[in-house]
Amino acid sequence: ALLEKNGKKIKSKHTARRRANKEENQEGPVTTLHVLLTDLVKVSNSRDRASKLFQWLLCPVLSKTFFRAHWEKKPLLIRRQNPDYYKGLFSTAEFDRILRNDDVQYGVNLDVTSYANGRRETHTPPGRALPYTVWDFYESGCSLRMLNPQAFSSTVWNVLSILQEIFSSMAGANVYLTPAGTQGFAPHYDDIEAFIVQLEGKKHWRVYNPLRLFTADIGKPIMDVVLEAGDLLYLPRGIIHQGNCLPDAHSLHITISSFQRNSWGDLLLKVMPAALETAMEEDVEFRKGLPIDYLTFMGVQNSDKEDPRRDKFLSHIQGLMKKLVSYAPVDAAVDQKAKEFLHDCLPPLLTPEEKASSVWGAPVRWDDGETVDMAVHIKTQTKIRLLRGGAARLCSDGEAVCLFYTTENSRVYHKDEPKSIEIKVEHTDAVEFLIHTYPEFVPVCSLPCETAEDKVSLAELLFEKGVIHTSEPLMSK
């Protein structure tokens, strides 16, 4: 009986472990991208929309498992045995269509490269990239890299504009088309988190640990795999990798990337100069002069000297660095990072409902020689909210407080200047209220402004800039 009882206990433990593993890597029904994007239109909360799309990208690995076990830590390979899993995201047919119909410029939108005998070459000529020359490069064994497919492909634009809410960092992409039996790039590492999505054909990847200090030897690969259509390979930044095509198939993959210049060090680059400036203004210790003779015992030429003055000098520096923390304007530095992020962001690709209930769907128009439906106004009873959860952020900008937003950004990276509206001091609480109540629609009358006129005026300003939309399309009387 004891053995039986213990056996049941052991079996119960194993069953629980298997169940937990299954929950962490739940396969779920296979959904095509077209069906998924159609379903996401019905999801009102843009943050939920981003979570569902990211989960589909990683399926069957749960996103919480991914962030716990792999994000910034180690590569992840997902094999699917389903070549159509990412169908509709991008294709060689769309690549050709873009070359024929759009203004694709060499060096701006398209690079031509090759790698052979340990040497990488760039063959990118000036001017527009037309099919006649592009496909000739390809037939000659060159790889083609489209640098910003989101500028030409609505599907890629839609996917990236949704995913950027997952990372609180710009989501970008490059498309790589490589002929069979060739390699386009030398072994290298990137400064981004990379999701390599195999769309067509297959590609052989070798992945290496990051370089160790004082060595250029990349060592032996920690991963040696062939990606086939439908597979995904995640590579943390700093991981060295190289890919080559097998003799029997071309390769088309898209690398979705994020988290560039988004480290603690990048934030400190914003914090430290401002902290030092404040400290020098407010603390006399930072304004005291250096020792008259410091050049005689400090610097590289004196670094091997055993001199007590060096120890005293370095100890004083350490003390000032510790004091500097108390002057660090961390929130202001985060605002600077946030402004950069919103400038980097793609504009949202609006759902039909978002378009109909925003400034882009307002019924005002020109008809038969005159403007019509001009009597469309936001009223105190109108319910409003941000267009997207990550579409706007209130930041300090010198002496002013501004609302930075993404809705008027270009699909071309940094084509336009950052978009912002200066917010009156008496209206900042109302803007914060709108940001913090998302995804709920709130009536204009609930905005914490002094007068009804102020509430309506602020709502109309935000509506005109595409920052908010209404619960129901505005109608003329």
Side-chain angles (χ1 to χ4, degrees):
L2 184 60
L3 289 173
E4 206 172 10
K5 182 178 180 182
N6 287 343
K8 286 182 179 178
K9 283 186 177 179
I10 293 171
K11 182 178 180 181
S12 176
K13 289 179 181 177
H14 285 305
T15 301
R17 191 177 296 116
R18 285 196 301 270
R19 186 181 299 117
N21 289 339
K22 184 178 180 181
E23 287 173 355
E24 286 203 347
N25 296 281
Q26 188 66 42
E27 180 75 42
V30 175
T31 303
T32 65
L33 179 60
H34 174 74
V35 171
L36 176 68
L37 293 177
T38 301
D39 290 342
L40 289 182
V41 168
K42 306 167 191 171
V43 178
S44 177
N45 187 336
S46 63
R47 293 166 185 152
D48 291 342
R49 209 178 295 164
S51 295
K52 289 177 183 293
L53 178 57
F54 188 60
Q55 182 57 74
W56 173 85
L57 184 75
L58 295 176
C59 182
V61 177
L62 290 182
S63 57
K64 64 179 181 180
T65 304
F66 167 77
F67 282 115
R68 184 182 69 245
H70 294 276
W71 178 252
E72 293 192 296
K73 297 182 183 76
K74 61 181 181 180
L76 171 67
L77 171 65
I78 299 176
R79 295 192 187 279
R80 291 208 173 81
Q81 287 82 45
N82 179 2
D84 293 331
Y85 189 81
Y86 294 116
K87 186 177 181 179
L89 180 54
F90 200 83
S91 66
T92 47
E94 185 167 15
F95 202 123
D96 184 71
R97 178 190 62 74
I98 290 170
L99 292 175
R100 294 181 183 282
N101 299 334
D102 294 299
D103 183 19
V104 178
Q105 291 289 317
Y106 283 117
V108 177
N109 312 115
L110 190 73
D111 284 339
V112 181
T113 67
S114 64
Y115 179 76
N117 302 317
R119 181 183 175 190
R120 180 195 162 182
E121 292 187 69
T122 300
H123 309 276
T124 308
R128 181 174 171 181
L130 291 166
Y132 183 83
T133 53
V134 171
W135 294 126
D136 185 58
F137 277 125
Y138 179 82
E139 284 297 314
S140 301
C142 293
S143 289
L144 309 176
R145 175 173 64 175
M146 184 172 286
L147 297 171
N148 50 348
Q150 60 271 23
F152 307 106
S153 166
S154 294
T155 302
V156 176
W157 167 27
N158 193 16
V159 167
L160 296 181
S161 68
I162 294 172
L163 286 178
Q164 62 197 10
E165 286 203 50
I166 284 285
F167 305 114
S168 296
S169 178
M170 184 194 79
N174 289 334
V175 167
Y176 299 83
L177 178 59
T178 309
T182 69
Q183 182 170 338
F185 295 89
H188 66 283
Y189 64 87
D190 298 310
D191 63 346
I192 45 89
E193 305 297 311
F195 299 84
I196 299 171
V197 176
Q198 192 69 27
L199 301 173
E200 295 177 11
K202 49 191 175 182
K203 198 164 197 176
H204 174 215
W205 288 95
R206 282 165 288 176
V207 179
Y208 308 82
N209 279 320
L211 281 177
R212 296 174 182 172
L213 199 60
F214 307 124
T215 179
D217 182 14
I218 63 176
K220 295 182 179 180
I222 59 172
M223 185 179 285
D224 192 321
V225 298
V226 174
L227 287 192
E228 299 188 7
D231 294 344
L232 177 143
L233 177 62
Y234 161 72
L235 298 176
R237 63 185 179 279
I239 290 287
I240 300 169
H241 54 281
Q242 62 176 321
N244 65 281
C245 268
L246 300 177
D248 61 339
H250 77 282
S251 170
L252 179 74
H253 78 265
I254 185 169
T255 296
I256 296 173
S257 61
S258 192
F259 243 55
Q260 189 175 46
R261 297 186 297 275
N262 214 41
S263 67
W264 286 104
D266 291 302
L267 178 60
L268 286 172
L269 287 172
K270 307 289 185 187
V271 172
M272 299 307 287
L276 190 56
E277 183 178 346
T278 303
M280 290 185 71
E281 290 176 356
E282 299 183 6
D283 191 331
V284 68
E285 288 297 317
F286 287 86
R287 299 197 301 272
K288 285 183 177 179
L290 294 164
I292 291 175
D293 59 346
Y294 82 103
L295 292 179
T296 65
F297 60 84
M298 294 305 299
V300 174
Q301 71 180 32
N302 301 307
S303 59
D304 294 331
K305 285 184 178 180
E306 291 187 8
D307 189 324
R309 294 177 298 173
R310 286 183 57 84
D311 296 334
K312 184 179 179 181
F313 189 94
L314 293 172
S315 177
H316 191 69
I317 288 286
Q318 289 176 1
L320 291 176
M321 292 294 288
K322 288 178 181 178
K323 290 186 72 175
L324 199 58
V325 173
S326 62
Y327 297 100
V330 177
D331 284 324
V334 168
D335 279 351
Q336 289 185 52
K337 290 290 294 176
K339 287 186 280 188
E340 290 178 356
F341 164 50
L342 267 68
H343 187 206
D344 293 344
C345 276
L346 285 164
L349 177 60
L350 302 184
T351 67
E353 181 182 351
E354 288 170 338
K355 184 174 182 180
S357 57
S358 67
V359 67
W360 289 278
V364 179
R365 65 192 188 281
W366 180 267
D367 186 31
D368 196 23
E370 62 180 358
T371 55
V372 297
D373 288 337
M374 292 297 294
V376 177
H377 298 289
I378 290 177
K379 301 177 175 59
T380 54
Q381 297 82 14
T382 306
K383 290 186 176 182
I384 60 174
R385 73 169 187 183
L386 292 183
L387 187 66
R388 296 277 175 95
R393 184 181 176 95
L394 202 60
C395 297
S396 60
D397 191 27
E399 297 297 319
V401 177
C402 293
L403 185 71
F404 289 80
Y405 58 98
T406 68
T407 52
E408 293 181 354
N409 283 2
S410 169
R411 288 165 65 178
V412 177
Y413 181 70
H414 285 191
K415 181 181 178 182
D416 301 321
E417 292 298 310
K419 306 297 182 183
S420 66
I421 315 166
E422 185 171 347
I423 301 297
K424 295 178 181 178
V425 174
E426 59 268 28
H427 290 167
T428 56
D429 286 346
V431 175
E432 286 182 2
F433 176 73
L434 279 172
I435 291 171
H436 296 316
T437 54
Y438 183 88
E440 301 299 323
F441 283 96
V442 295
V444 171
C445 62
S446 68
L447 297 179
C449 298
E450 287 189 5
T451 66
E453 289 77 13
D454 283 346
K455 297 176 183 185
V456 172
S457 175
L458 176 62
E460 287 184 337
L461 172 64
L462 299 179
F463 184 83
E464 288 169 5
K465 294 297 183 181
V467 174
I468 63 171
H469 68 134
T470 56
S471 60
E472 300 290 339
L474 294 180
M475 304 296 291
S476 60
K477 289 184 178 181

